[in-house]
Amino acid sequence: LLASKLWFGADESAKFSLVCQTGNDYLQSSLCRAIDVLIIDADDGLAPPASMRTQSFWESIALPTLSHNCVVGVNVIGNQNERDELQNVLRKTLPAHYDVISVSAPPEAGVSSRHALFFAIPEGILQGTYNFENFVDMPHCWKKEVDSSYLSHGKN
């Protein structure tokens, strides 16, 4: 709960409903309703967990809970092959109107190359409209990485 407040600007308000459960448990519960923003965070090791990297998880558990224009963010830790596999699962599973991009952490973040952020975004939602100012250290460095990812995926 503290991390969601510190790193994502979340608070208990009309804008956010914070849930303190594992992702699988919550997404399968009757409490889950149309999600507008899904953030799958990670701490260390292989992340997200193996159970949340499968096509079955995304098709059967996550996808049915997402609103039509849900923005998905996944903090990924793994080698290049593991990251590619998850990105392929997201591209195969999410609707055709989604862009799936991988954003490397900027060198200034001081994390290993095993770390990346994946965004699954309905076309046109994020591009040019984001402001990281209150959410990350060195927002200009992250903006540069997001812009670079968009360009490398053929998005203008």
Side-chain angles (χ1 to χ4, degrees), residues 20-99:
C20 295
Q21 285 182 287
T22 65
N24 279 338
D25 290 347
Y26 176 70
L27 293 174
Q28 293 179 64
S29 77
S30 61
L31 299 173
C32 187
R33 28 184 214 287
I35 295 173
D36 295 320
V37 177
L38 176 63
I39 299 170
I40 298 177
D41 199 12
D43 185 18
D44 204 2
L46 181 64
S51 64
M52 297 175 89
R53 291 175 166 260
T54 66
Q55 190 160 344
S56 174
F57 166 79
W58 287 95
E59 282 178 350
S60 304
I61 298 172
L63 191 58
T65 67
L66 305 180
S67 67
H68 178 71
N69 283 325
C70 179
V71 174
V72 178
V74 183
N75 188 353
V76 181
I77 304 172
N79 63 38
Q80 186 65 50
N81 187 47
E82 291 162 335
R83 292 192 312 269
D84 289 347
E85 285 176 14
L86 178 57
Q87 194 167 19
N88 287 335
V89 164
L90 292 173
R91 285 190 172 132
K92 283 185 210 173
T93 308
L94 293 172
H97 72 280
Y98 271 79
D99 290 329

Side-chain angles (χ1 to χ4, degrees), residues 121 124-132 143 146-147 150:
I121 308 158
I125 291 230
L126 180 64
Q127 194 172 7
T129 63
Y130 50 91
N131 179 358
F132 294 119
K143 183 178 184 322
V146 170
D147 290 344
Y150 258 99

Side-chain angles (χ1 to χ4, degrees), residues 101 103-106 108 117 119 126-133 136-151:
I101 63 168
V103 179
S104 299
E108 296 88 347
L117 295 175
F119 292 100
L126 180 64
Q127 194 172 7
T129 63
Y130 50 91
N131 179 358
F132 294 119
E133 196 66 38
V136 296
D137 294 335
M138 303 164 296
H140 62 285
C141 298
W142 282 99
K143 183 178 184 322
K144 182 176 137 188
E145 293 298 325
V146 170
D147 290 344
S148 174
S149 292
Y150 258 99
L151 291 174

